Coordinates of all heavy atoms in Angstrom, one line a residue:
M1 N 4.2 23.0 29.2 CA 4.0 21.8 28.4 C 3.3 22.1 27.2 O 2.4 22.9 27.2 CB 3.2 20.9 29.4 CG 3.0 19.4 28.6 SD 2.0 18.3 29.5 CE 3.1 17.0 29.5
A2 N 3.7 21.5 26.0 CA 3.1 21.7 24.8 C 1.7 21.2 24.7 O 1.4 20.1 25.3 CB 3.9 21.1 23.7
T3 N 0.9 21.9 24.0 CA -0.5 21.5 23.8 C -0.7 20.3 23.0 O -1.5 19.4 23.3 CB -1.4 22.6 23.3 OG1 -1.2 23.7 24.1 CG2 -2.8 22.2 23.2
N4 N 0.1 20.2 21.9 CA 0.1 19.1 20.9 C 1.5 18.4 20.8 O 2.5 19.0 21.1 CB -0.4 19.6 19.6 CG -1.8 20.1 19.6 OD1 -2.6 19.5 20.2 ND2 -2.0 21.2 18.9
T5 N 1.4 17.2 20.3 CA 2.6 16.5 20.0 C 2.4 16.0 18.6 O 1.3 16.0 18.1 CB 2.9 15.3 20.9 OG1 4.2 14.8 20.7 CG2 1.9 14.2 20.9
Y6 N 3.4 15.7 17.9 CA 3.4 15.3 16.4 C 4.1 14.0 16.1 O 5.0 13.6 16.8 CB 4.1 16.4 15.7 CG 3.6 17.8 16.0 CD1 4.0 18.5 17.1 CD2 2.6 18.3 15.1 CE1 3.4 19.8 17.4 CE2 1.9 19.6 15.4 CZ 2.4 20.3 16.6 OH 1.9 21.5 16.9
C7 N 3.5 13.3 15.2 CA 4.0 12.0 14.9 C 3.7 11.6 13.4 O 2.9 12.3 12.9 CB 3.6 10.9 15.8 SG 1.9 10.4 15.6
T8 N 4.4 10.6 12.9 CA 3.9 10.0 11.7 C 3.5 8.5 12.0 O 4.1 7.8 12.9 CB 5.1 9.8 10.7 OG1 6.2 9.3 11.3 CG2 5.5 11.4 10.2
A9 N 2.4 8.2 11.4 CA 1.8 6.9 11.5 C 1.0 6.6 10.4 O 0.2 7.4 9.9 CB 1.0 6.7 12.9
T10 N 1.1 5.3 9.9 CA 0.3 4.9 8.7 C -1.0 4.4 9.3 O -1.2 3.5 10.1 CB 1.0 3.8 8.0 OG1 2.3 4.3 7.6 CG2 0.3 3.3 6.8
N11 N -2.2 5.0 8.7 CA -3.4 4.6 9.0 C -3.8 3.3 8.5 O -3.9 3.1 7.2 CB -4.5 5.6 8.4 CG -5.9 5.4 8.9 OD1 -6.3 4.3 9.1 ND2 -6.7 6.5 8.9
Y12 N -4.0 2.3 9.3 CA -4.2 1.0 8.8 C -5.8 0.6 8.6 O -6.2 -0.6 8.5 CB -3.5 -0.1 9.7 CG -3.8 0.0 11.2 CD1 -4.9 -0.4 11.7 CD2 -2.8 0.7 11.9 CE1 -5.2 -0.2 13.2 CE2 -3.0 0.8 13.3 CZ -4.1 0.3 13.9 OH -4.3 0.5 15.3
G13 N -6.7 1.7 8.8 CA -8.0 1.4 8.7 C -8.7 1.2 10.0 O -8.4 1.9 11.0
K14 N -9.7 0.3 10.0 CA -10.6 0.1 11.2 C -9.8 0.1 12.5 O -8.8 -0.7 12.6 CB -11.4 -1.2 11.0 CG -12.4 -1.3 12.1 CD -13.3 -2.5 11.8 CE -14.2 -2.7 12.9 NZ -15.5 -3.1 12.6
N15 N -10.2 0.9 13.4 CA -9.6 1.0 14.8 C -8.3 1.6 14.9 O -7.6 1.5 15.9 CB -9.6 -0.5 15.5 CG -11.0 -1.0 15.7 OD1 -11.9 -0.2 16.1 ND2 -11.2 -2.2 15.7
F16 N -7.9 2.3 13.8 CA -6.7 3.0 13.9 C -6.9 4.1 14.8 O -6.0 4.4 15.8 CB -6.3 3.7 12.5 CG -5.1 4.6 12.5 CD1 -3.8 3.9 12.7 CD2 -5.3 5.9 12.3 CE1 -2.7 4.8 12.6 CE2 -4.1 6.7 12.3 CZ -2.9 6.2 12.5
F17 N -8.0 4.8 14.8 CA -8.5 5.5 16.1 C -10.0 5.2 16.3 O -10.7 4.8 15.3 CB -8.2 7.0 15.7 CG -8.9 7.7 14.7 CD1 -10.2 8.1 14.8 CD2 -8.2 7.8 13.5 CE1 -10.8 8.8 13.7 CE2 -8.8 8.5 12.4 CZ -10.0 9.0 12.5
T18 N -10.4 5.3 17.5 CA -11.7 4.9 17.9 C -12.5 6.2 18.3 O -11.9 7.2 18.4 CB -11.7 3.9 18.9 OG1 -11.2 4.5 20.1 CG2 -10.9 2.7 18.5
H19 N -13.8 6.0 18.5 CA -14.6 7.1 19.1 C -14.1 7.4 20.4 O -14.0 8.7 20.8 CB -16.1 6.6 19.2 CG -17.0 7.5 19.7 ND1 -17.3 8.7 19.0 CD2 -17.6 7.7 20.9 CE1 -18.1 9.4 19.8 NE2 -18.3 8.8 21.0
E20 N -13.7 6.5 21.2 CA -13.1 6.8 22.5 C -11.8 7.5 22.4 O -11.6 8.5 23.2 CB -12.9 5.4 23.3 CG -14.1 4.7 23.6 CD -14.7 4.0 22.5 OE1 -14.1 3.6 21.5 OE2 -15.9 3.6 22.7
D21 N -11.0 7.2 21.4 CA -9.8 8.0 21.2 C -10.1 9.5 21.0 O -9.6 10.4 21.6 CB -8.9 7.5 20.1 CG -8.4 6.1 20.3 OD1 -8.1 5.7 21.4 OD2 -8.1 5.5 19.3
R22 N -11.1 9.7 20.1 CA -11.5 11.0 19.7 C -12.0 11.8 20.9 O -11.9 13.2 20.9 CB -12.5 11.0 18.6 CG -12.0 10.4 17.2 CD -10.8 11.2 16.7 NE -10.9 12.6 16.4 CZ -11.1 13.1 15.3 NH1 -10.9 12.4 14.2 NH2 -11.3 14.5 15.2
N23 N -12.6 11.2 21.8 CA -13.1 11.8 22.9 C -12.0 12.1 24.0 O -12.2 12.9 24.9 CB -14.3 11.0 23.5 CG -15.6 11.2 22.7 OD1 -15.7 12.1 22.1 ND2 -16.4 10.2 22.8
A24 N -11.0 11.3 23.9 CA -10.0 11.4 25.1 C -8.8 12.3 24.7 O -8.1 12.8 25.6 CB -9.3 9.9 25.2
F25 N -8.7 12.8 23.4 CA -7.5 13.7 23.2 C -7.8 14.3 21.7 O -8.6 13.6 20.9 CB -6.2 13.0 23.1 CG -6.1 11.7 22.3 CD1 -5.6 11.8 20.9 CD2 -6.4 10.4 22.7 CE1 -5.5 10.7 20.2 CE2 -6.4 9.3 22.0 CZ -5.9 9.4 20.6
F26 N -7.2 15.4 21.4 CA -7.2 16.0 20.1 C -6.5 15.0 19.0 O -5.5 14.6 19.4 CB -6.7 17.4 20.2 CG -6.5 18.0 18.8 CD1 -7.7 18.7 18.2 CD2 -5.3 18.1 18.1 CE1 -7.5 19.3 17.1 CE2 -5.2 18.6 16.9 CZ -6.4 19.3 16.3
L27 N -7.0 15.0 17.9 CA -6.4 14.2 16.8 C -6.7 14.7 15.5 O -8.0 14.9 15.2 CB -6.8 12.8 17.0 CG -6.3 11.7 15.9 CD1 -4.7 11.5 16.1 CD2 -6.9 10.4 16.1
S28 N -5.7 15.1 14.8 CA -6.0 15.5 13.4 C -5.0 14.9 12.4 O -3.8 14.9 12.8 CB -6.1 17.0 13.1 OG -4.9 17.7 13.5
G29 N -5.4 14.4 11.3 CA -4.5 13.9 10.3 C -4.2 14.9 9.2 O -5.0 15.7 8.8
H30 N -3.0 14.7 8.7 CA -2.5 15.6 7.7 C -1.7 14.8 6.5 O -1.3 13.7 6.8 CB -1.6 16.6 8.3 CG -2.3 17.5 9.3 ND1 -3.1 18.6 9.0 CD2 -2.4 17.2 10.7 CE1 -3.6 19.1 10.2 NE2 -3.3 18.2 11.1
P31 N -1.5 15.5 5.4 CA -0.7 14.8 4.4 C 0.7 14.2 4.9 O 1.3 14.8 5.7 CB -0.5 16.0 3.2 CG -1.6 16.9 3.5 CD -1.8 16.8 5.0
G32 N 1.1 13.2 4.3 CA 2.3 12.5 4.6 C 2.3 11.7 5.9 O 3.3 11.4 6.5
D33 N 1.1 11.2 6.2 CA 0.8 10.4 7.4 C 1.2 11.1 8.6 O 1.8 10.6 9.6 CB 1.6 9.0 7.3 CG 1.0 8.1 6.2 OD1 -0.2 8.2 6.1 OD2 1.7 7.3 5.6
V34 N 1.1 12.5 8.7 CA 1.4 13.3 9.9 C 0.2 13.4 10.7 O -1.0 13.6 10.2 CB 1.9 14.6 9.5 CG1 2.0 15.6 10.7 CG2 3.3 14.6 8.8
W35 N 0.3 13.2 12.0 CA -0.8 13.3 12.9 C -0.4 14.3 14.1 O 0.7 14.2 14.6 CB -1.1 12.0 13.5 CG -1.5 11.0 12.5 CD1 -0.7 10.1 11.8 CD2 -2.9 10.8 12.1 NE1 -1.5 9.5 10.9 CE2 -2.8 9.8 11.1 CE3 -4.1 11.3 12.5 CZ2 -4.0 9.3 10.4 CZ3 -5.3 10.9 11.9 CH2 -5.2 9.9 10.8
V36 N -1.4 15.1 14.3 CA -1.2 16.1 15.5 C -2.1 15.5 16.6 O -3.3 15.2 16.4 CB -1.7 17.5 15.1 CG1 -1.6 18.4 16.2 CG2 -0.9 17.9 13.9
V37 N -1.5 15.3 17.8 CA -2.1 14.6 18.8 C -2.0 15.4 20.1 O -1.1 16.0 20.4 CB -1.5 13.2 19.1 CG1 -2.0 12.5 20.1 CG2 -1.3 12.4 17.7
G38 N -3.2 15.4 20.9 CA -3.2 16.1 22.0 C -2.2 15.6 23.0 O -2.0 14.4 23.2
N39 N -1.3 16.4 23.6 CA -0.3 15.9 24.5 C -0.8 15.7 26.0 O -0.8 16.5 26.8 CB 0.8 17.0 24.6 CG 2.0 16.6 25.2 OD1 2.2 15.3 25.4 ND2 3.0 17.5 25.6
N40 N -1.4 14.5 26.0 CA -2.0 13.9 27.3 C -1.6 12.5 27.4 O -1.2 11.9 26.4 CB -3.3 14.3 27.6 CG -4.2 13.7 26.6 OD1 -4.0 12.6 26.0 ND2 -5.4 14.3 26.4
P41 N -1.8 11.8 28.4 CA -1.4 10.4 28.5 C -2.2 9.5 27.5 O -1.7 8.6 26.9 CB -1.9 10.0 30.0 CG -1.6 11.3 30.8 CD -2.1 12.4 29.8
A42 N -3.5 9.8 27.2 CA -4.2 9.1 26.3 C -3.6 9.3 24.8 O -3.5 8.3 24.1 CB -5.6 9.5 26.3
G43 N -3.3 10.5 24.5 CA -2.6 10.8 23.2 C -1.3 10.1 23.1 O -1.1 9.4 21.9
V44 N -0.5 10.0 24.0 CA 0.8 9.5 24.0 C 0.6 7.9 23.8 O 1.3 7.3 23.1 CB 1.7 9.8 25.2 CG1 2.9 9.0 25.3 CG2 2.0 11.2 25.2
S45 N -0.3 7.4 24.7 CA -0.7 6.0 24.5 C -1.2 5.6 23.1 O -0.7 4.6 22.6 CB -1.8 5.5 25.5 OG -2.2 4.3 25.4
W46 N -1.9 6.5 22.5 CA -2.4 6.2 21.1 C -1.1 6.0 20.1 O -1.1 5.2 19.3 CB -3.5 7.2 20.6 CG -3.9 7.0 19.1 CD1 -4.7 6.2 18.8 CD2 -3.3 7.7 18.0 NE1 -4.8 6.3 17.4 CE2 -3.9 7.2 16.9 CE3 -2.3 8.6 17.9 CZ2 -3.6 7.6 15.6 CZ3 -2.0 9.1 16.5 CH2 -2.7 8.5 15.4
I47 N -0.3 7.0 20.2 CA 0.9 7.1 19.4 C 1.7 5.7 19.5 O 2.1 5.1 18.5 CB 1.9 8.2 19.8 CG1 1.2 9.6 19.3 CG2 3.2 8.1 19.0 CD1 1.9 10.7 19.9
N48 N 1.8 5.3 20.7 CA 2.5 4.1 20.9 C 1.8 2.8 20.4 O 2.3 2.0 19.7 CB 2.8 3.8 22.5 CG 3.8 4.7 23.0 OD1 4.7 5.2 22.3 ND2 3.6 5.1 24.2
R49 N 0.4 2.9 20.6 CA -0.5 1.7 20.1 C -0.4 1.7 18.5 O -0.5 0.5 18.0 CB -1.9 2.0 20.5 CG -2.9 0.9 20.2 CD -4.3 1.1 20.7 NE -5.0 1.8 19.5 CZ -5.8 2.8 19.7 NH1 -6.1 3.3 20.9 NH2 -6.5 3.3 18.7
V50 N -0.3 2.8 17.8 CA -0.3 2.8 16.4 C 1.1 2.7 15.8 O 1.4 2.9 14.7 CB -1.1 3.8 15.7 CG1 -2.6 3.8 16.2 CG2 -0.5 5.2 16.1
S51 N 2.1 2.5 16.7 CA 3.5 2.5 16.2 C 3.9 3.7 15.6 O 4.7 3.8 14.5 CB 3.8 1.3 15.4 OG 3.5 0.1 16.0
G52 N 3.5 5.0 16.1 CA 3.8 6.2 15.7 C 5.3 6.5 15.9 O 5.9 6.0 16.9
T53 N 5.8 7.4 15.1 CA 7.2 7.9 15.3 C 7.2 9.4 15.6 O 6.6 10.2 14.8 CB 7.9 7.7 13.8 OG1 8.0 6.4 13.6 CG2 9.4 8.2 14.0
A54 N 7.6 9.7 16.8 CA 7.7 11.1 17.2 C 8.4 12.0 16.3 O 9.4 11.7 15.7 CB 8.2 11.1 18.7
K55 N 7.8 13.2 16.1 CA 8.4 14.2 15.2 C 8.4 15.6 16.0 O 7.4 15.8 16.8 CB 7.7 14.4 13.9 CG 7.6 13.2 13.1 CD 8.9 12.8 12.5 CE 9.0 11.6 11.6 NZ 10.3 11.2 11.3
T56 N 9.3 16.5 15.7 CA 9.1 17.8 16.3 C 8.1 18.5 15.4 O 7.8 18.0 14.3 CB 10.4 18.6 16.2 OG1 10.8 18.8 14.8 CG2 11.4 17.9 17.0
K57 N 7.6 19.7 15.9 CA 6.6 20.3 15.0 C 7.2 20.8 13.7 O 6.6 20.7 12.6 CB 6.1 21.6 15.7 CG 5.0 22.2 14.9 CD 4.3 23.5 15.6 CE 3.3 24.1 14.8 NZ 2.6 25.2 15.4
A58 N 8.5 21.1 13.7 CA 9.2 21.6 12.5 C 9.3 20.4 11.6 O 9.2 20.6 10.2 CB 10.6 22.1 12.8
E59 N 9.6 19.3 12.1 CA 9.7 18.1 11.2 C 8.4 17.6 10.5 O 8.3 17.4 9.3 CB 10.3 16.9 12.0 CG 11.8 17.0 12.4 CD 12.1 15.9 13.4 OE1 11.2 15.4 14.3 OE2 13.4 15.5 13.4
A60 N 7.4 17.7 11.4 CA 6.1 17.4 10.8 C 5.6 18.5 9.8 O 5.1 18.1 8.8 CB 5.1 17.4 12.0
Q61 N 5.9 19.8 10.1 CA 5.5 20.8 9.1 C 6.3 20.5 7.9 O 5.7 20.7 6.8 CB 5.8 22.2 9.7 CG 5.3 23.3 8.9 CD 3.8 23.4 8.8 OE1 3.1 23.5 9.8 NE2 3.2 23.3 7.6
A62 N 7.5 20.2 7.8 CA 8.3 20.0 6.6 C 7.8 18.8 5.8 O 7.7 18.9 4.6 CB 9.7 19.7 7.1
I63 N 7.3 17.8 6.4 CA 6.6 16.7 5.7 C 5.5 17.0 5.1 O 5.2 16.8 3.9 CB 6.4 15.4 6.6 CG1 7.7 14.9 7.2 CG2 5.5 14.4 6.1 CD1 7.5 14.0 8.5
V64 N 4.5 17.8 5.8 CA 3.3 18.3 5.3 C 3.5 19.2 4.1 O 2.9 19.2 3.0 CB 2.4 19.1 6.3 CG1 1.3 19.6 5.6 CG2 2.0 18.0 7.4
D65 N 4.4 20.1 4.3 CA 4.8 21.2 3.2 C 5.2 20.5 1.9 O 4.9 20.8 0.8 CB 6.0 22.1 3.7 CG 5.4 23.2 4.6 OD1 4.2 23.3 4.8 OD2 6.2 23.8 5.3
G66 N 6.1 19.4 2.1 CA 6.6 18.6 1.0 C 5.4 18.1 0.2 O 5.4 18.0 -1.0
E67 N 4.5 17.4 1.0 CA 3.3 16.7 0.2 C 2.5 17.7 -0.4 O 2.0 17.5 -1.5 CB 2.5 15.9 1.3 CG 3.2 14.7 2.0 CD 3.4 13.7 1.0 OE1 2.5 13.3 0.2 OE2 4.5 13.1 1.0
V68 N 2.2 18.9 0.1 CA 1.5 19.9 -0.4 C 2.2 20.5 -1.7 O 1.5 20.7 -2.8 CB 1.1 21.0 0.5 CG1 0.4 22.3 -0.2 CG2 0.3 20.6 1.7
E69 N 3.5 20.6 -1.6 CA 4.2 21.1 -2.8 C 4.1 20.1 -3.9 O 3.9 20.5 -5.1 CB 5.6 21.4 -2.4 CG 5.8 22.6 -1.6 CD 7.3 22.7 -0.9 OE1 8.1 21.9 -1.2 OE2 7.3 23.7 -0.1
T70 N 4.2 18.9 -3.6 CA 4.1 17.8 -4.7 C 2.7 17.9 -5.3 O 2.6 17.8 -6.5 CB 4.3 16.4 -4.0 OG1 5.7 16.4 -3.6 CG2 4.1 15.3 -5.0
A71 N 1.7 18.1 -4.4 CA 0.2 18.1 -5.0 C 0.1 19.3 -5.8 O -0.7 19.3 -6.8 CB -0.7 18.1 -3.8
Q72 N 0.8 20.5 -5.5 CA 0.7 21.7 -6.2 C 1.2 21.5 -7.6 O 0.7 21.9 -8.6 CB 1.4 22.8 -5.5 CG 0.6 23.3 -4.3 CD 1.4 24.3 -3.5 OE1 2.7 24.4 -3.5 NE2 0.6 25.2 -2.7
V73 N 2.5 20.8 -7.6 CA 3.0 20.6 -8.9 C 2.1 19.6 -9.8 O 2.0 20.0 -11.0 CB 4.5 19.8 -8.7 CG1 5.0 19.3 -10.1 CG2 5.4 20.8 -8.1
A74 N 1.6 18.7 -9.2 CA 0.6 17.9 -10.0 C -0.5 18.7 -10.5 O -1.1 18.5 -11.6 CB 0.2 16.7 -9.2
W75 N -1.2 19.5 -9.6 CA -2.2 20.3 -10.1 C -1.8 21.3 -11.1 O -2.7 21.5 -12.1 CB -2.7 21.1 -8.8 CG -4.0 21.8 -9.1 CD1 -5.3 21.3 -8.9 CD2 -4.2 23.2 -9.5 NE1 -6.2 22.3 -9.2 CE2 -5.6 23.5 -9.7 CE3 -3.3 24.2 -9.9 CZ2 -6.1 24.7 -10.1 CZ3 -3.8 25.4 -10.4 CH2 -5.2 25.6 -10.4
D76 N -0.8 21.9 -11.1 CA -0.2 22.7 -12.1 C -0.1 22.2 -13.4 O -0.3 22.8 -14.5 CB 1.2 23.5 -11.7 CG 1.0 24.3 -10.5 OD1 0.0 24.8 -10.2 OD2 2.2 24.6 -9.9
A77 N 0.1 20.9 -13.5 CA 0.3 20.1 -14.8 C -1.1 19.7 -15.4 O -1.1 19.2 -16.5 CB 1.1 18.8 -14.6
L78 N -2.1 19.9 -14.7 CA -3.5 19.5 -15.2 C -3.9 20.5 -16.4 O -3.6 21.6 -16.3 CB -4.4 19.6 -14.0 CG -4.4 18.6 -12.9 CD1 -5.4 19.0 -11.8 CD2 -4.5 17.2 -13.4
S79 N -4.9 20.0 -17.2 CA -5.5 20.8 -18.1 C -6.4 21.9 -17.4 O -6.8 21.7 -16.2 CB -6.3 20.0 -19.0 OG -7.5 19.5 -18.4
A80 N -6.8 23.0 -18.1 CA -7.6 23.9 -17.6 C -8.9 23.3 -17.2 O -9.6 23.7 -16.1 CB -7.8 25.1 -18.6
E81 N -9.5 22.4 -17.9 CA -10.8 21.7 -17.6 C -10.6 21.0 -16.3 O -11.5 21.0 -15.4 CB -11.2 20.8 -18.7 CG -12.4 20.0 -18.5 CD -12.9 19.1 -19.5 OE1 -12.5 19.3 -20.6 OE2 -13.5 18.1 -19.2
E82 N -9.5 20.3 -16.1 CA -9.3 19.4 -14.9 C -9.1 20.4 -13.6 O -9.7 20.1 -12.6 CB -8.1 18.6 -15.0 CG -8.2 17.4 -16.0 CD -7.0 16.7 -16.3 OE1 -6.0 17.3 -16.5 OE2 -7.1 15.4 -16.3
K83 N -8.4 21.5 -13.9 CA -8.2 22.4 -12.8 C -9.5 23.1 -12.3 O -9.6 23.4 -11.2 CB -7.3 23.6 -13.3 CG -5.8 23.2 -13.4 CD -5.0 24.3 -13.8 CE -3.5 23.9 -13.9 NZ -2.7 24.9 -14.5
S84 N -10.6 23.2 -13.3 CA -11.9 23.8 -12.9 C -12.6 22.9 -12.0 O -13.5 23.4 -11.3 CB -12.7 24.1 -14.1 OG -13.1 22.9 -14.8
R85 N -12.2 21.6 -11.9 CA -13.0 20.8 -11.1 C -12.6 20.8 -9.6 O -13.3 20.3 -8.7 CB -12.8 19.3 -11.5 CG -13.4 19.1 -12.9 CD -13.3 17.7 -13.2 NE -13.4 17.6 -14.8 CZ -12.7 16.8 -15.6 NH1 -11.9 16.0 -15.0 NH2 -13.0 16.8 -16.9
N86 N -11.4 21.3 -9.3 CA -11.0 21.4 -7.9 C -9.9 22.4 -7.7 O -9.4 23.0 -8.8 CB -10.3 20.1 -7.3 CG -9.2 19.4 -8.2 OD1 -8.4 20.3 -8.7 ND2 -9.3 18.2 -8.6
S87 N -9.7 23.0 -6.6 CA -8.7 24.1 -6.2 C -7.3 23.6 -6.0 O -7.1 22.4 -5.6 CB -9.3 25.0 -5.2 OG -9.3 24.2 -4.0
R88 N -6.4 24.5 -6.2 CA -5.0 24.2 -6.1 C -4.8 24.0 -4.6 O -5.2 24.7 -3.7 CB -4.1 25.3 -6.6 CG -2.6 25.1 -6.6 CD -2.0 26.2 -7.3 NE -0.6 25.8 -7.5 CZ 0.5 26.2 -6.9 NH1 0.3 26.9 -5.7 NH2 1.7 25.8 -7.2
P89 N -4.0 23.1 -4.2 CA -3.7 22.6 -2.8 C -2.9 23.9 -2.2 O -2.1 24.6 -2.9 CB -2.7 21.5 -2.9 CG -3.1 20.8 -4.0 CD -3.5 21.8 -5.1
V90 N -3.2 24.3 -1.0 CA -2.6 25.4 -0.4 C -1.7 24.9 0.9 O -2.2 24.1 1.6 CB -3.7 26.3 0.1 CG1 -3.1 27.5 0.8 CG2 -4.6 26.7 -1.2
K91 N -0.7 25.6 1.1 CA 0.1 25.2 2.3 C -0.6 25.9 3.5 O -1.3 26.9 3.5 CB 1.5 25.9 2.2 CG 2.5 25.0 1.4 CD 3.9 25.7 1.6 CE 4.9 24.9 0.8 NZ 6.2 25.5 1.0
Y92 N -0.4 25.3 4.7 CA -1.0 25.8 5.9 C -0.1 25.4 7.1 O 0.9 24.6 6.9 CB -2.4 25.2 6.1 CG -2.4 23.6 6.1 CD1 -2.4 23.0 7.4 CD2 -2.4 22.9 5.0 CE1 -2.3 21.6 7.4 CE2 -2.5 21.5 5.1 CZ -2.4 20.9 6.2 OH -2.4 19.5 6.3
I93 N -0.3 26.0 8.2 CA 0.5 25.8 9.4 C -0.2 24.8 10.4 O -1.4 24.9 10.6 CB 0.7 27.1 10.1 CG1 1.4 28.2 9.3 CG2 1.5 26.9 11.4 CD1 2.6 27.8 8.7
L94 N 0.5 23.7 10.7 CA 0.0 22.8 11.7 C -0.4 23.6 13.0 O 0.2 24.4 13.4 CB 1.0 21.7 11.9 CG 1.3 20.7 10.8 CD1 2.4 19.8 11.1 CD2 0.0 20.0 10.3
P95 N -1.4 23.0 13.6 CA -1.9 23.6 14.9 C -0.7 23.3 16.0 O 0.0 22.3 15.9 CB -3.1 22.9 15.3 CG -3.3 21.7 14.4 CD -2.4 22.0 13.2

């Protein structure tokens, strides 16, 4: 069985996830409204509660990569002064 499951869900603010959720399963948010969720009953229940849409890891990674690439293009267009204030977004592999 996979350790994590992947979904997209729009964070609607307060109570999107709770302290209890964070204690019941792994949860991490990524660009493009991608969420990596511990694959257990509590995690699956959370995905349903927030009207999440299940994704394969490859689909979720493609969404994140697209968002990072868009952010890289925007960063590349900044002036040298603006670039000095923050670093260029970097692609990474989802857990």
